[in-house]
Amino acid sequence: MAAAPLRAVPVGLLSIGQVLAALQDDFADLTPSKLRFLEDQGLVTPERTKSGYRKFSQEHVERVRLVLTLQRDHYLPLKKIAEVLEELDAGRDPVIPGASQRSASTILSSKEVLSSDELCHAAATNKRFLGEAIAAGLLPATEVFPFDAIAQLNALVRLAQAGLTPRHLRSLRVAAEREAEMLAHAVASRGEKQGSPSAVDGSLELVEYLETVRSGVLRRKFGAL
């Protein structure tokens, strides 16, 4: 199989270790070598950094979860699993063979969130630090978290190790809220109804553009130092 092209990897992706931590409770026998095997078989294709390190998105993690579930609970061979994935990639929702009409989407949706314990374990931190991040408004005050919260909490841990604790980053939340209002106004000015699919898609697209601009400014500033 041809190697994945090297390109800039988006912020917020997970390392192999973080993927293992996120899935460990459900798949205790999952190892780095097994993840690499799934990649070799073309069942999951993680991003690659310029140094060649694998990085996984939430979609990659859920794809791995589906593959492992189909192997363990439904005894499907890899060839049949590949066919299920092809159906999903084509926008269809295939029924799992021998699963009493259970579809692939029901498996994908069965574990989309993490408990606070699972999140802290995956990000190699503790509930006290998680509480500090929540108190600063950098993570939602909730009992369950989406998978992308792993990357967010891990980033906060790394920043804290450099002396930038969640308390120091309160201004980041305030700035983000102002930017969200600005983007919402820009979308509304195009006549799109707030909350509609087109408005949501438009807002997310503007968020990506804004992140690109912010990253460029910060990188240039850092270079000037």
Side-chain angles (χ1 to χ4, degrees):
M1 183 180 69
L6 299 182
R7 54 193 177 89
V9 175
V11 174
L13 299 184
L14 308 181
S15 67
I16 284 183
Q18 289 173 317
V19 173
L20 295 178
L23 297 176
Q24 186 177 51
D25 288 346
D26 293 327
F27 304 98
D29 60 345
L30 182 60
T31 62
S33 61
K34 186 164 186 177
L35 274 178
R36 288 191 287 267
F37 174 74
L38 296 181
E39 180 183 2
D40 291 340
Q41 297 301 306
L43 300 177
V44 61
T45 308
E47 304 281 357
R48 290 284 189 137
T49 67
K50 292 182 179 179
S51 301
Y53 292 106
R54 295 169 176 81
K55 291 291 184 178
F56 297 78
S57 67
Q58 180 179 349
E59 289 74 19
H60 292 137
V61 174
E62 291 308 309
R63 195 176 179 94
V64 171
R65 180 186 296 281
L66 175 60
V67 170
L68 297 177
T69 300
L70 293 178
Q71 278 188 311
R72 184 191 65 192
D73 299 345
H74 301 283
Y75 310 104
L76 294 189
L78 292 182
K79 181 178 179 181
K80 183 60 68 174
I81 292 175
E83 293 175 1
V84 171
L85 295 177
E86 287 178 6
E87 289 286 298
L88 282 172
D89 293 341
R92 294 183 284 272
D93 187 13
V95 173
I96 305 304
S100 302
Q101 302 302 307
R102 189 183 187 193
S103 69
S105 64
T106 61
I107 297 176
L108 285 171
S109 63
S110 64
K111 182 66 174 178
E112 294 181 344
V113 295
L114 300 166
S115 68
S116 58
D117 287 333
E118 290 171 329
L119 174 59
C120 289
H121 179 69
T125 188
N126 53 53
K127 283 191 173 181
R128 179 178 178 181
F129 186 85
L130 174 60
E132 293 175 1
I134 292 174
L138 301 172
L139 285 173
T142 180
E143 295 183 0
V144 293
F145 301 84
F147 266 95
D148 59 6
I150 300 175
Q152 293 171 337
L153 186 57
N154 182 64
L156 289 171
V157 170
R158 298 296 181 87
L159 289 168
Q161 291 171 348
L164 297 173
T165 67
R167 178 173 56 84
H168 293 118
L169 298 175
R170 288 180 185 271
S171 59
L172 185 151
R173 173 184 58 80
V174 174
E177 290 174 349
R178 287 199 300 265
E179 290 170 354
E181 292 177 359
M182 177 182 65
L183 296 182
H185 178 74
V187 171
S189 67
R190 298 191 301 208
E192 298 178 3
K193 184 178 180 180
Q194 185 176 5
S196 67
S198 61
V200 172
D201 289 343
S203 297
L204 293 177
E205 182 180 17
L206 292 179
V207 167
E208 292 181 0
Y209 292 147
L210 188 61
E211 290 293 342
T212 299
V213 172
R214 180 193 292 113
S215 177
V217 171
L218 289 174
R219 290 177 186 277
R220 287 195 299 273
K221 186 66 175 177
F222 181 77
L225 297 176

